[in-house]
Amino acid sequence: MRETGREIDQLRSIDIQTNFTKHAEGSVLITVGDTKVICNASVEDRVPPFMRGSGKGWITAEYAMLPRATETRNIRESSKGKVSGRTMEIQRLIGRSLRAVVDLEAIGERTIWVDCDVIQADGGTRTASITGAFVAVVHALGKLLKEEKIKSLPITDYLAAISVGVLPDGTEILDLEYSEDAQAHVDMNVVMTGKGEFVELQGTGEEATFTNTQLTKMLALADKGLKEIFEMQAEAINPYQENIEQS
Amino acid sequence: MRETGREIDQLRSIDIQTNFTKHAEGSVLITVGDTKVICNASVEDRVPPFMRGSGKGWITAEYAMLPRATETRNIRESSKGKVSGRTMEIQRLIGRSLRAVVDLEAIGERTIWVDCDVIQADGGTRTASITGAFVAVVHALGKLLKEEKIKSLPITDYLAAISVGVLPDGTEILDLEYSEDAQAHVDMNVVMTGKGEFVELQGTGEEATFTNTQLTKMLALADKGLKEIFEMQAEAINPYQENIEQS
Amino acid sequence: MRETGREIDQLRSIDIQTNFTKHAEGSVLITVGDTKVICNASVEDRVPPFMRGSGKGWITAEYAMLPRATETRNIRESSKGKVSGRTMEIQRLIGRSLRAVVDLEAIGERTIWVDCDVIQADGGTRTASITGAFVAVVHALGKLLKEEKIKSLPITDYLAAISVGVLPDGTEILDLEYSEDAQAHVDMNVVMTGKGEFVELQGTGEEATFTNTQLTKMLALADKGLKEIFEMQAEAINPYQENIEQS
Amino acid sequence: MRETGREIDQLRSIDIQTNFTKHAEGSVLITVGDTKVICNASVEDRVPPFMRGSGKGWITAEYAMLPRATETRNIRESSKGKVSGRTMEIQRLIGRSLRAVVDLEAIGERTIWVDCDVIQADGGTRTASITGAFVAVVHALGKLLKEEKIKSLPITDYLAAISVGVLPDGTEILDLEYSEDAQAHVDMNVVMTGKGEFVELQGTGEEATFTNTQLTKMLALADKGLKEIFEMQAEAINPYQENIEQS
Amino acid sequence: MRETGREIDQLRSIDIQTNFTKHAEGSVLITVGDTKVICNASVEDRVPPFMRGSGKGWITAEYAMLPRATETRNIRESSKGKVSGRTMEIQRLIGRSLRAVVDLEAIGERTIWVDCDVIQADGGTRTASITGAFVAVVHALGKLLKEEKIKSLPITDYLAAISVGVLPDGTEILDLEYSEDAQAHVDMNVVMTGKGEFVELQGTGEEATFTNTQLTKMLALADKGLKEIFEMQAEAINPYQENIEQS
Amino acid sequence: MRETGREIDQLRSIDIQTNFTKHAEGSVLITVGDTKVICNASVEDRVPPFMRGSGKGWITAEYAMLPRATETRNIRESSKGKVSGRTMEIQRLIGRSLRAVVDLEAIGERTIWVDCDVIQADGGTRTASITGAFVAVVHALGKLLKEEKIKSLPITDYLAAISVGVLPDGTEILDLEYSEDAQAHVDMNVVMTGKGEFVELQGTGEEATFTNTQLTKMLALADKGLKEIFEMQAEAINPYQENIEQS
């Protein structure tokens, strides 16, 4: 048992609310414990300049936190006039991850903008963003399908993410909340497809290192947690489950 | 009756949910029709440089929209690297309005940061922000009172805002939603105290003008609407109603 | 009598010098007491991207102060790398005001740039800017008329602005100079057409409020002052007075 | 005779109006032909961080053009969010030039800010700025002397600047106006002290070159012109002529 | 054999030139195939504000490419006015990696600035930067040791990085050069200590995924390559090898 | 003899290494004493917007220093988000200088980007940049000639630059290194063509002045030094010497 009362391999309670706001083509509020992220997917009928004429589409993501999503207030990035390195890293990660399971040829010269806005943070905001964003993108593409703008749902597999880590006492744990993340020696984010293949693996020792054995244990925890998450996603993407070929 | 089905002097349905997020000292989700704004009030134990040593506190506001709060996606101001003129105008308005009903001497050298983040927009986001921000500030100051950091609730009166306007056919109406705002010839925002005095009055002809008679009618509509709003605020600031001397 | 020696309803001495600089199509130096603003109107033969192909023209304004227009030197906004909220608010106000009396259809796909540069400030710079800018715009459009690029002067009415306010002792006054503005409890800017209709009304309580009665008194003062200003403008727009249908 | 009707070694008419605006410690409007620059010198009772504790003062200059100082409107640098290379080059030149004739030790830990704002441009704005700025600085320091904040006028000599150049036909000319500057093959700015020594010499071939002989002729023209300017400055700095030891 | 003529597990030729520039406390030019990076380590006798008074030191890294380090010229980030997401990601990675093997307590309130400037790029610039930066940091800290500002070399282990990946045909390879990187389906950067423990693991599928088996093979390749690199580093840090306790 | 051991008219040892990096069309590492600058010339097959359709080409230069090129580390301009005035001045100088000896008509609608990156600084970085950039540009244009994209080498003459100055004791010296530059009263940069004509002359008194006699002596020193440099350039531009008509 961890200090937080959870088992070593236990996820926090997860809720995925769809159609959260009315304007976005896909809109999700994902809640993972006390972490809450609004994931909106918007469809734009053109692609960025570097892709024009390619016949392919594009998916890009933006991520932000409300100033008071955290325990102490953060300065708004628009006030600072620039986006932090952390934010850029997360936006790039979300975008790359989603592109791994979307058939960009099939969506045509369209851009899917994914906006992940954290309204309350308690650790794991980037993994919650990916998990929620996947559902929002399915709904947005599902809308294109209904409108007969595309012929089939251009999603090749499920996609979700979770964090794993190593506590100072050496225990590997699943789904770190903020109090755990703050003290962990190792923090790893795993982005995986429904078939159990990796899309992204980002492990970091915080002024510390980790062994191959620890890596193996962490990956097993992530695998277990992600399987549970794929099932929740399956419900949340209703009625599009059948459009994704299951592993 | 308007095209929207409302009477000329009828407000949209309003809901004020308190304790919306867990970290902010005061946190409100205000819903006015389809407009939804998160208003978080944060207490910081210091004031900006220009006020240090004055013994007085300060209230400042920031306002933003999620990119997909609107019908088409807006570019994030943090990505553009600067805050638009419209945003600055609104932040300054919210801050000034709140300072009119808060006793800055009594809060001591503290800053109240008010963050108004629009998660869904359908007209009237700045007035909803002011109305919601007042409730969030009362809760934040109420918390200071409970913690005995201040001796009494330093709020001198209720504060709320509403829009009024003139339709192309000359009708004066209360509480414009987006479809009305887009076509109105005159748009006026009225910020008022519980005693019925003006804090701010901002009337604008959009490539149009308005007469003294129209002004009088609009102000009467605003007065009626704001009285209804003050009652909703009174419930939302529970248990602090008694701490504000009623007009 | 006020401390400044003026009557409650007395304007400062006003001078409107035309053809102040040689390059601008319309160039005015307006002096209101010790406030001096250069208002230049420039004609550009194209419109901003969002208006292309509409057949309509556009008017936009920029406002700035020389660093030493004020008692203590201000940092130049170009050095700070960004325009302040106050400046943006004023530029938007001037532009909107002018658009209310110019027939944008009639000027064709042209932009009128209005630059208001304060070279000496003593209160009322934004209202002096509007009053002077109107004259500059008339001269710029008059030049287009002379060159037969447009068929008639596309000005529908006179336009001017003045400030009114409430002193701490409760007196309503007209045309606040800096020493009065700094202590006033209420400050209101009134932008009006020659026919006496409002274009903009912006009243602000500075950590204070104002009643409906005070509003009425302030508007009466503004009306009196603006009538005097329209007469000065009529002379300054010579020979174009006849081209504007008088109320 | 040049196309402009002037002799090869003839200056344009020059006027130096002092006490032009009321707030600055030294305020000058310098007119050189159709070029008009407001030069304001402001005294601040502290120095930039890198000089604190040195006991020495500092002089720094800023330069800007009103957007419509020129034949076609220029975008405001505050709107662009950055200062151009040309502007920076000129500001650095003005500041360096002034520092050559001011005894920085003697002014104590104060900064003299010099703001040169071009309100109408017709060539030679940077040299007019230096010539006018010198007069403004003398007045600002003169004011410190009157207030007995300094013991003597810390000016070691007169300072002025003029342009010389080579026309396409090979003629060397003095004081280029815009129409000449636009076609000149060589453009040289000479900053000189009353004793006839150089402070700055900046000669540039515009896709062209110049010989040692041409350099000698240009320097002789500059010397003649500057001697005339020093006399005009002597009048403009009244009553401080005696405080500067003449060459 | 790969198209590049290298074996699957073969590193490119590596050269580590020390004392490359004269001012930096530690200065290295690392060459990995056609990739060339200057790694300079600078010692500053203070820490950033958030660490003041902690008694601990800090290591931070900056990374840039010369505009023509690449096949087509890149716009300079200073001209664009902002640092790209890719650059920030790399700088954060280099800094975090180095902090894992440096005893920050032992260096006292000092900052080690590591500047990695790519002068020629052919793939693997971030891993070459880490490998070279380690050597530069050892030399910089070695200099502090010689000057007796610290008591022992505060380096806990060797540190180096290498890339591994999966080609489209499924082959796992070591040390990708640009032509391989451009087509690889998977790209993974491994940062490891001399003891063989991971500091960072960043694996990315480029619109692709990878299995646990592929991960295992890639990690084995990285392990082999890094062991060879540690030996080259050992020579390059002469005479400080003995100061690092070997695994 | 100077403190540095050099004669008054003695250049530092100069080395010009060509083909320094592999991607640029012209790539030079120039070493002048301890000053080392990489000068890369890149050919882009289009011109900036203001020149499109003119049939002419353009040459533009950028200049930067590695943070630790200097004795104490400088903040990177990309981190500061803006380019300093000094940098802009130097880039403008390098670009203008090169344009004086390149036939822009003959290169067609192409841009030559010249990047001068100082990797080690010891005075004279801007003059070394010009001298090295000339060689890089000749190689880049030579490549176009070989590829038969242009018909002849569009270089009208050699181009090089050197600094001269006046020491506190009044001695005029050639080619100032940093220790001399820091104390010199006068600093002058001379850019000259192979025929001995001036392209740029920039002389500056640092809180000091200089006489006509000193100017003459400095120019003689520059002339002597530049003649030696032209000979080194002639070797470095091999095999293109014959393509430049010698003076």
Side-chain angles (χ1 to χ4, degrees), chain B residues 89 92 197-198 201 209-210, chain C residues 89 92 197-198 203 209-210:
Chain B
E89 219 170 278
R92 286 158 56 91
E197 301 192 347
F198 300 115
L201 211 61
T209 59
F210 56 104
Chain C
E89 219 170 279
R92 286 158 57 91
E197 300 191 347
F198 299 115
T209 60
F210 56 104

Side-chain angles (χ1 to χ4, degrees), chain D residues 207, chain F residues 51 55-59 99 102-109 154:
Chain D
E207 300 178 21
Chain F
M51 294 198 69
K56 284 179 68 175
W58 188 241
I59 296 186
R99 288 193 293 272
V102 175
D103 180 349
L104 297 175
E105 308 269 353
I107 61 175
E109 289 210 3

Side-chain angles (χ1 to χ4, degrees), chain C residues 7-154:
Chain C
E7 300 292 335
I8 275 164
D9 63 353
Q10 188 184 344
L11 292 173
R12 288 178 281 178
S13 70
I14 296 179
D15 181 69
I16 303 174
Q17 180 181 344
T18 53
N19 301 314
F20 182 65
T21 62
K22 75 170 189 177
H23 297 300
E25 281 71 32
S27 179
V28 160
L29 173 66
I30 184 165
T31 306
V32 179
D34 273 343
T35 290
K36 288 167 193 281
V37 187
I38 301 175
C39 303
N40 284 336
S42 303
V43 178
E44 189 188 24
D45 283 332
R46 54 175 190 170
V47 286
F50 68 90
M51 295 198 66
R52 282 185 200 144
S54 69
K56 285 180 67 175
W58 189 242
I59 298 186
T60 190
E62 292 195 353
Y63 166 99
M65 279 198 183
L66 294 203
R68 199 53 197 282
T70 45
E71 222 172 301
T72 55
R73 187 181 181 276
N74 289 299
I75 299 175
R76 217 171 265 272
E77 295 192 330
S78 56
S79 300
K80 282 192 286 191
K82 62 179 177 181
V83 171
S84 73
R86 176 185 176 276
T87 294
M88 285 209 202
E89 219 170 279
I90 296 176
Q91 329 200 110
R92 286 158 57 91
L93 172 65
I94 300 172
R96 268 198 324 265
S97 297
L98 292 168
R99 289 194 294 272
V101 295
V102 175
D103 180 348
L104 297 175
E105 308 268 352
I107 61 175
E109 289 209 4
R110 290 187 180 88
T111 300
I112 312 296
W113 289 87
V114 176
D115 289 291
C116 298
D117 285 271
V118 180
I119 61 177
Q120 193 172 279
D122 189 28
T125 63
R126 80 184 70 187
T127 50
S129 293
I130 292 169
T131 300
F134 173 77
V135 176
V137 168
V138 170
H139 279 274
L141 293 175
K143 209 180 158 202
L144 285 182
L145 186 64
K146 274 191 204 156
E147 294 166 349
E148 299 187 359
K149 290 186 177 159
I150 51 177
K151 292 179 189 160
S152 60
L153 194 75

Side-chain angles (χ1 to χ4, degrees), chain E:
Chain E
M1 284 280 281
R2 314 187 212 173
E3 279 184 31
T4 57
R6 280 195 281 146
E7 300 292 336
I8 275 163
D9 63 352
Q10 188 184 344
L11 291 174
R12 288 177 280 178
S13 71
I14 295 179
D15 181 69
I16 303 174
Q17 180 181 344
T18 53
N19 301 314
F20 182 64
T21 63
K22 75 169 187 176
H23 298 300
E25 280 73 32
S27 179
V28 160
L29 172 67
I30 183 166
T31 305
V32 178
D34 273 342
T35 290
K36 287 167 193 280
V37 188
I38 301 175
C39 303
N40 283 336
S42 302
V43 178
E44 189 188 25
D45 283 332
R46 55 175 190 170
V47 285
F50 68 90
M51 295 197 68
R52 281 184 199 145
S54 69
K56 284 180 68 175
W58 188 241
I59 297 185
T60 190
E62 292 195 353
Y63 167 98
M65 278 198 183
L66 293 203
R68 200 53 198 283
T70 46
E71 222 172 300
T72 56
R73 188 181 182 275
N74 290 300
I75 299 175
R76 217 171 265 272
E77 295 193 329
S78 57
S79 300
K80 283 191 286 190
K82 61 179 177 180
V83 171
S84 73
R86 177 186 175 275
T87 295
M88 286 209 200
E89 217 170 280
I90 296 176
Q91 328 198 111
R92 286 158 56 90
L93 172 65
I94 301 171
R96 267 198 324 265
S97 297
L98 291 167
R99 289 195 293 272
V101 295
V102 175
D103 179 349
L104 297 175
E105 308 268 353
I107 61 176
E109 290 210 2
R110 291 187 181 90
T111 299
I112 312 297
W113 288 87
V114 176
D115 288 291
C116 298
D117 286 89
V118 179
I119 61 176
Q120 192 172 280
D122 189 28
T125 63
R126 80 185 70 186
T127 50
S129 294
I130 292 169
T131 301
F134 173 76
V135 176
V137 168
V138 170
H139 280 274
L141 293 175
K143 209 180 159 202
L144 285 182
L145 185 64
K146 274 193 206 155
E147 294 166 351
E148 299 186 359
K149 291 185 177 161
I150 51 178
K151 292 180 190 162
S152 62
L153 194 74
I155 300 279
T156 59
D157 202 347
Y158 282 80
L159 179 89
I162 200 69
S163 73
V164 284
V166 183
L167 289 178
D169 68 2
T171 326
E172 291 82 11
I173 56 171
L174 175 68
D175 187 17
L176 287 69
E177 57 197 75
Y178 179 72
S179 62
E180 294 169 331
D181 189 69
Q183 53 164 328
H185 280 192
V186 183
D187 182 20
M188 174 170 277
N189 294 299
V190 182
V191 187
M192 202 178 258
T193 62
K195 290 188 192 62
E197 300 192 346
F198 300 115
V199 173
E200 288 274 340
L201 210 61
Q202 298 198 338
T204 298
E206 301 286 345
E207 301 178 21
T209 59
F210 56 104
T211 63
N212 221 323
T213 311
Q214 288 175 313
L215 173 62
T216 305
K217 285 189 189 163
M218 287 191 285
L219 294 179
L221 286 172
D223 191 76
K224 174 186 177 291
L226 287 164
K227 288 210 170 98
E228 293 173 36
I229 293 175
F230 292 133
E231 290 187 20
M232 293 179 237
Q233 284 184 322
E235 277 184 46
I237 63 169
N238 183 38
Y240 304 108
Q241 301 99 316
E242 296 180 8
N243 300 71
I244 302 175
E245 70 183 286
Q246 204 75 26
S247 55

Side-chain angles (χ1 to χ4, degrees), chain B residues 56 58 82-90 92-93 96 99-101 104 126 188 193 196-212 215 219, chain C residues 56 58 82-90 92-93 96 99-101 104 126 188 193 196-212 215 219:
Chain B
K56 284 180 67 175
W58 189 242
K82 62 178 177 183
V83 171
S84 73
R86 176 185 175 275
T87 295
M88 286 209 200
E89 219 170 278
I90 295 175
R92 286 158 56 91
L93 172 65
R96 269 200 322 266
R99 289 193 294 272
V101 295
L104 297 175
R126 80 185 71 188
M188 175 170 276
T193 62
E197 301 192 347
F198 300 115
V199 172
E200 288 275 340
L201 211 61
Q202 298 197 338
T204 297
E206 300 287 345
E207 301 179 21
T209 59
F210 56 104
T211 63
N212 221 322
L215 173 62
L219 294 180
Chain C
K56 285 180 67 175
W58 189 242
K82 62 179 177 181
V83 171
S84 73
R86 176 185 176 276
T87 294
M88 285 209 202
E89 219 170 279
I90 296 176
R92 286 158 57 91
L93 172 65
R96 268 198 324 265
R99 289 194 294 272
V101 295
L104 297 175
R126 80 184 70 187
M188 174 170 278
T193 63
E197 300 191 347
F198 299 115
V199 173
E200 288 275 340
L201 211 60
Q202 296 198 339
T204 298
E206 300 286 347
E207 300 178 22
T209 60
F210 56 104
T211 63
N212 221 322
L215 173 63
L219 293 179

